[in-house]
């Protein structure tokens, strides 16, 4: 009887971009604190999911490291070598703000391998849904460049794994607060992979993720960016899903939905300026599951990306995991500080982005 799969690996917690403050390594003006995306927090997130019995609803699986062949469905061989060599040296920047330690290459291969395995599992009928709680994240990693904590592009490698199993149409939905430039770049000319990103307008990378980026050549129409203004909250995210994401999916008719399920669009995240709560992510996951049920036999795979609030990330992961496992939204003692904010309602300038896409995007206009 298929159920839900949980992919994680101890070594993913051993990746560490080294001493710094926030995302900036130690140097002039920067005293040692810690860089984001080190994983006492992700380990605590998994601990919360276990403590509240939600992990018991999943089959916990240990992934294999992605092979060169799997990585090179998205990345150049030179890129893979650069990550390996930087890791073997024990540290340094393997790209642009993509610092590594000795374990990073192995951790990144395991994160990508988890994603590919989860896709094969769900597409093969082994489980109904899967969640990969992995690090390092992946959606900024371009075919030939590591970027912003991301070494290998986990969801892109997952999408290629699905194509390798014969799927004709794969949808990648990315609700990390940053734009997934790496996923977009990997598939912008591929009409068979629809990339949809809901992100904070103009945040990171600079000049990336505009409404006017709709795909290239044969891929025209298969890139859909929803850049919400800073300050968008629960209702704006749900409106983006209902008014843009769902109609696009119904037009595209994917055979699998892969979600880059970052939680850094929360109202307590230091890297973004959005207002989402654990209920937002729980509701979005439920909507994806319903949409997958309608369009592709329920097949969906969720992959962790960003999330940098030490105190709130565990609750956001619990909300995500609970929804995947068909459980109600958890009680969230942090929501009282976010739910009442006026920005939780849709504002006119946020609505304009959705209206523009509905009227102009080649897939849904
Ligand atoms: Zn992010």
């Amino acid at each position: 009887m298929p159920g839900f799969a949980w992919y994680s690996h101890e070594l993913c917690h051993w990746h560490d971009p080294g001493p710094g403050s926030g995302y900036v390594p130690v140097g002039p003006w920067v005293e040692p604190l810690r860089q984001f995306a080190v994983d006492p927090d992700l380990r605590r997130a998994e601990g919360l999911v276990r403590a509240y019995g939600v992990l018991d609803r999943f089959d916990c699986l240990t992934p294999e490291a992605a092979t060169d062949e799997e990585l090179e469905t998205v990345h150049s061989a030179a890129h893979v070598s650069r990550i390996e060599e930087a890791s073997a040296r024990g540290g340094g920047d393997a790209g642009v703000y993509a610092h590594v330690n000795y374990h990073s290459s192995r951790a990144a291969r395991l994160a990508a391998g988890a994603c590919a395995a989860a896709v094969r599992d769900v597409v093969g009928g082994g489980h109904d849904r899967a969640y990969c709680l992995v690090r390092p994240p992946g959606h900024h990693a371009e075919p030939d460049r590591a970027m912003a904590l991301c070494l290998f592009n986990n969801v892109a490698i997952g999408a290629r794994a699905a194509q390798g199993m014969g799927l004709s149409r794969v949808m990648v939905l990315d609700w990390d607060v940053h734009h997934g430039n790496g996923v977009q770049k990997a598939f912008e000319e591929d009409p068979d992979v629809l990339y949809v990103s809901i992100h904070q307008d103009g945040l990171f990378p600079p000049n990336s993720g505009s409404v006017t980026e709709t795909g290239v050549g044969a891929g025209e129409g298969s890139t859909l960016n929803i850049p919400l203004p800073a300050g968008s909250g629960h209702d704006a995210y749900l409106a983006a899903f209902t008014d843009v994401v769902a109609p696009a999916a119904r037009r595209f008719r994917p055979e699998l939905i892969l979600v880059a399920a970052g939680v850094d669009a929360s109202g307590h995240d230091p890297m973004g300026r959005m207002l989402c709560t654990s209920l937002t992510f729980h509701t979005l996951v439920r909507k994806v599951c319903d949409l997958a049920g309608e369009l592709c036999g329920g097949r969906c795979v969720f992959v962790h990306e960003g999330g940098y609030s030490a105190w709130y990330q565990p609750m956001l992961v619990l909300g995500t995991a609970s929804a995947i496992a068909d459980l109600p939204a958890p009680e969230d003692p942090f929501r009282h500080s976010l739910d009442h904010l006026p920005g939780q309602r849709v504002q006119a300038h946020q609505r304009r982005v959705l209206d523009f896409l509905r009227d102009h995007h080649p897939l849904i206009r």
Side-chain angles (χ1 to χ4, degrees), residues 269-285:
D269 199 282
M271 294 284 269
R273 295 294 177 268
M274 298 306 222
L275 297 173
C276 295
T277 70
S278 63
L279 182 63
T280 314
F281 294 113
H282 185 277
T283 310
L284 287 171
V285 170

Side-chain angles (χ1 to χ4, degrees), residues 137 139-140 148-150 174-179 203-204 262-265 269 271-272 305-308:
H139 75 149
H140 294 307
L149 309 169
C150 298
D174 183 345
W175 60 55
D176 187 283
V177 78
H178 304 98
H179 179 237
L203 180 59
F204 183 86
V263 293
D264 46 6
D269 199 282
M271 294 284 269
E305 292 279 352
Y308 307 102

Side-chain angles (χ1 to χ4, degrees), residues 59-286:
D59 293 327
C60 293
L61 299 166
T62 304
E64 303 278 333
T67 62
D68 285 353
E69 189 180 3
E70 284 175 309
L71 298 176
E72 289 171 19
T73 59
V74 170
H75 298 288
S76 67
H79 173 91
V80 175
S81 297
R82 276 195 297 275
I83 305 296
E84 294 284 349
E85 286 161 15
S87 242
R89 283 195 302 272
D93 194 347
V96 183
Y97 286 109
H99 287 78
V100 299
N101 70 357
Y102 175 80
H103 297 290
S104 298
S105 176
R106 177 86 176 154
R109 278 185 186 264
L110 287 162
C115 210
V119 165
R120 286 193 290 266
D121 184 353
V122 169
V123 173
H127 287 92
D128 296 314
R129 300 171 201 140
Y131 188 22
C132 304
L133 193 68
V134 291
R135 280 277 165 84
H139 75 149
H140 294 307
E142 296 182 344
D144 197 40
R145 182 166 64 160
M147 184 192 285
L149 309 169
C150 298
L151 304 181
F152 300 134
N153 200 312
N154 304 323
V155 288
I157 289 162
R160 288 292 187 221
Q163 290 181 309
M165 293 184 76
L167 265 59
S168 302
R169 292 178 309 283
V170 179
M171 174 174 172
V172 179
L173 171 60
D174 183 345
W175 60 55
D176 187 283
V177 78
H178 304 98
H179 179 237
N181 57 294
V183 189
Q184 178 172 309
K185 192 155 190 168
F187 299 116
E188 63 189 356
E189 295 182 56
D190 187 342
D192 301 326
V193 178
L194 171 63
Y195 176 60
V196 182
S197 176
I198 311 173
H199 52 271
Q200 183 183 320
D201 184 28
L203 180 59
F204 183 86
N207 305 311
S208 182
S210 150
V211 291
T212 59
E213 296 163 22
T214 55
V216 173
E220 172 65 13
S222 67
T223 296
L224 170 50
N225 286 311
I226 310 173
L228 292 174
S232 296
H234 184 86
D235 288 357
Y237 272 77
L238 298 197
F241 192 95
T242 302
D243 297 348
V244 179
V245 177
R250 291 190 180 106
R251 191 69 66 90
F252 182 72
R253 301 203 65 80
E255 294 164 299
L256 169 74
I257 302 176
L258 258 165
V259 182
V263 293
D264 46 6
S266 89
H268 287 309
D269 199 282
M271 294 284 269
R273 295 294 177 268
M274 298 306 222
L275 297 173
C276 295
T277 70
S278 63
L279 182 63
T280 314
F281 294 113
H282 185 277
T283 310
L284 287 171
V285 170
R286 293 307 317 154

